[in-house]
Amino acid sequence: MRIDRPEQLDRAVIAALARSEQRIVLSDDLLATVAANRRAMLGDLAGDEPVYGVNTGMGAMAGVRLDADGQARQQNTLMIGRAVGSAPWLRRAEARALLVSRLRTLLHPAAGASPGLCLHLLALLDADVVPAIPLRGGAAGEIIPLAHAGAVLIGAGQVLDPAGLAIDAAPTLAAAGLSPRPFEAKEGVAFLEGVPGLTGLAVLAAAEVRTLLNQVVIAAAASHAVIRAGPDPLHPALADSPELSEVLASLRALLGPDHRREGRALQAPVSFRVTAPAVAVAMRAAAAVEDAADRALGAVTDSPAHLDGRFVGTFGFAGTDLVATAGALTTALIHLAELGAARLHRLLDGALTGLPRQLSDSPGLHAGMVTVHKRAVGVIHRLRRFAAPALIGTMETSLGQEDVQSFGFEAAECLGEAVGGLRDVLACELLAVHQANLIGAPVPAVIDEIAAVVPAGTADRPFGRDLDRIISLLEGGWAGGISAGSSG
């Protein structure tokens, strides 16, 4: 794909590049525009005006002026001294998403980056040389994880081997036919500023959440069928938004026109009745993350940014928008996980299902799904630790120069934990639905693929292995052979 304008590097292209599903080239016209922006920036940099991080120190050292030798060395030392993170590392797709998001923001005129830096970054992506970037970002924007990425460009730092382990970057660059490229004037500052890491992670997470919400709707419909809950909570007139209308329509379609109008109880348990609006809330939260990512991709994120012929200090490193929206999505997903565990617990109740207690094929001899539910409960308890908003927790660094932090990587980590935890709970629910089907409960045919990945039979066995197979199926994008309304 040829990129003629920065806007073409949108969320869809970033996700495809992150997963190594696409390659791009930067057009000559785009590179010429980048070069013109670079020349204008260098012209304004030629005077004696102090420019933060270029001819001065950074943070509390901003008042220290650098001589010519210091300026020549500083853009590279910015990377070396700030690469203080360590394992666990971002996964390959996540690290690549950071690099692509960084490339997009370096194409912005305010960055003043050179065509050479942009092409070098693209060469790393093409060669699949993936920096080892710490999952936990620390404070002061993203300078720590970005320093790890930048160190690789100059031949230092570490990269991920095929097993995901960190190894020295220099031999890998050489094997890929790449040479280290030092950062030129102001390029190191531009590389360290902004929130390309959180942006890239948010792009991947939002796409993952869209798939996961489809799967939640399928599991909820199947559980609805097991307890033979009445269709009243699915009435189309209850929709208060387009998102809820889609979810309710999907649930009705999954259950089919022959779904019993009379339930075993006058009303289904609350966890069943409120699942649809909770999915709608998560859909809106995912859309908010996507909108925030779009804003971040097109925003001025450099500080100082080259604007109207002068260098302007900005707030682009804070990522407040993305941190706040990621936190809201995290909360919505954890709530969905709690509802899933509650529905699962109801499936074990013979008074609701008409099936043997705990979905055991031989009560007393076999425990059935009760311990599967206990696993889900443990996941929920752990997830609650990640529900605290990362935006809260002001701490000073750099001798007070940086007196507020937004902790973007921590927000991304919490969101990732919520995604993984919800998927785990969902696998538990789907296994219980499958077990219920085998011992007599009619469920929608969309879960037939679950039977294809787990062993036959209903007797007790190491169900953790079954859950691993179901989780793998969910991670692969399983949608029961349909496209549910919550795909967004």
Side-chain angles (χ1 to χ4, degrees):
M1 175 182 180
R2 190 178 78 169
I3 302 297
D4 297 302
R5 306 181 317 279
E7 295 78 15
Q8 291 177 272
L9 268 176
D10 58 15
R11 283 186 286 109
V13 175
I14 289 172
L17 286 166
R19 301 185 189 109
S20 300
E21 297 169 352
Q22 189 171 17
R23 291 169 73 98
I24 62 169
V25 295
L26 304 180
S27 72
D28 290 342
D29 287 345
L30 177 57
L31 291 173
T33 300
V34 172
N37 294 331
R38 175 72 176 172
R39 287 193 297 273
M41 188 277 296
L42 290 176
D44 291 323
L45 190 62
D48 192 46
E49 176 188 353
V51 179
Y52 178 79
V54 178
N55 55 24
T56 76
M58 294 186 70
M61 298 289 190
V64 178
R65 292 295 297 266
L66 302 177
D67 59 20
D69 180 63
Q71 292 180 42
R73 297 165 52 193
Q74 187 201 27
Q75 299 303 299
N76 290 324
T77 59
L78 288 176
M79 308 299 158
I80 303 302
R82 287 162 176 77
V84 299
S86 54
W89 311 109
L90 295 182
R91 293 174 294 178
R92 297 184 73 86
E94 294 171 332
R96 287 177 59 89
L98 178 151
L99 295 182
V100 183
S101 297
R102 178 79 292 171
L103 174 60
R104 164 70 188 269
T105 57
L106 288 177
L107 295 173
H108 194 289
S114 69
L117 176 58
C118 297
L119 290 171
H120 189 58
L121 197 52
L122 185 55
L124 287 183
L125 289 163
D126 287 343
D128 199 29
V129 175
V130 181
I133 300 172
L135 170 65
R136 298 183 177 100
E142 296 186 358
I143 62 169
I144 294 173
L146 290 174
H148 281 264
V152 170
L153 271 69
I154 63 176
Q158 295 178 301
V159 297
L160 297 179
D161 70 6
L165 301 176
I167 58 176
D168 288 342
T172 301
L173 288 171
L178 300 175
S179 300
R181 181 195 181 278
F183 286 97
E184 298 174 358
K186 195 186 169 297
E187 288 185 331
V189 176
F191 196 89
L192 286 180
E193 296 290 353
V195 286
L198 177 55
T199 305
L201 294 173
V203 166
L204 293 180
E208 200 172 4
V209 165
R210 293 291 188 179
T211 298
L212 188 55
L213 294 181
N214 283 346
Q215 297 165 345
V216 169
V217 171
I218 295 169
S223 292
H224 201 95
V226 171
I227 70 166
R228 290 194 281 175
D232 287 357
L234 311 182
H235 195 289
L238 300 177
D240 61 2
S241 66
E243 295 84 5
L244 183 52
S245 181
E246 289 182 9
V247 177
L248 293 174
S250 293
L251 288 167
R252 292 193 301 271
L254 286 162
L255 288 165
D258 297 328
H259 178 63
R260 292 181 56 141
R261 295 196 61 81
E262 68 280 5
R264 287 186 172 272
L266 184 61
Q267 291 197 50
V270 172
S271 57
F272 288 80
R273 286 183 277 150
V274 302
T275 291
V279 172
V281 167
M283 290 171 63
R284 288 191 288 272
V289 170
E290 292 165 344
D291 290 344
D294 288 340
R295 288 190 289 270
L297 288 170
V300 173
T301 61
D302 198 6
S303 183
H306 184 239
L307 298 170
D308 301 322
R310 51 188 295 264
F311 295 94
V312 179
T314 78
F315 45 76
F317 55 86
T320 308
D321 190 7
L322 272 169
V323 173
T325 54
L329 180 55
T330 298
T331 300
L333 297 181
I334 293 174
H335 179 54
L336 280 175
E338 291 179 326
L339 294 178
R343 291 193 306 270
L344 171 56
H345 202 196
R346 300 286 78 78
L347 295 182
L348 306 186
D349 187 347
L352 278 175
T353 66
L355 301 171
R357 285 181 298 168
Q358 300 181 180
L359 299 178
S360 169
D361 69 346
S362 182
L365 174 63
H366 292 154
M369 295 286 102
V370 68
T371 312
V372 171
H373 173 252
K374 290 179 179 179
R375 167 169 168 167
V377 168
V379 171
I380 297 298
H381 184 268
R382 181 174 183 275
L383 284 183
R384 289 171 182 164
R385 306 175 200 174
F386 298 97
L391 200 59
I392 305 302
T394 297
M395 300 181 194
E396 289 193 353
T397 64
S398 196
L399 304 179
Q401 171 69 19
E402 296 155 350
D403 55 1
V404 175
Q405 313 291 341
S406 56
F407 298 106
F409 262 50
E410 285 63 33
E413 182 183 8
C414 291
L415 178 54
E417 292 288 345
V419 169
L422 174 55
R423 185 182 290 120
D424 197 321
V425 172
L426 184 60
C428 293
E429 183 179 10
L430 286 168
L431 180 60
V433 167
H434 170 66
Q435 179 88 346
N437 188 36
L438 293 180
I439 61 177
V443 300
V446 290
I447 72 153
D448 287 350
E449 289 179 65
I450 303 299
V453 300
V454 300
T458 56
D460 283 0
R461 57 180 179 267
F463 286 118
R465 301 175 189 176
D466 296 20
L467 293 171
D468 286 344
R469 296 185 183 102
I470 296 172
I471 289 170
S472 180
L473 182 69
L474 297 174
E475 288 176 335
W478 172 79
I482 65 166
S483 179
S486 58
S487 60

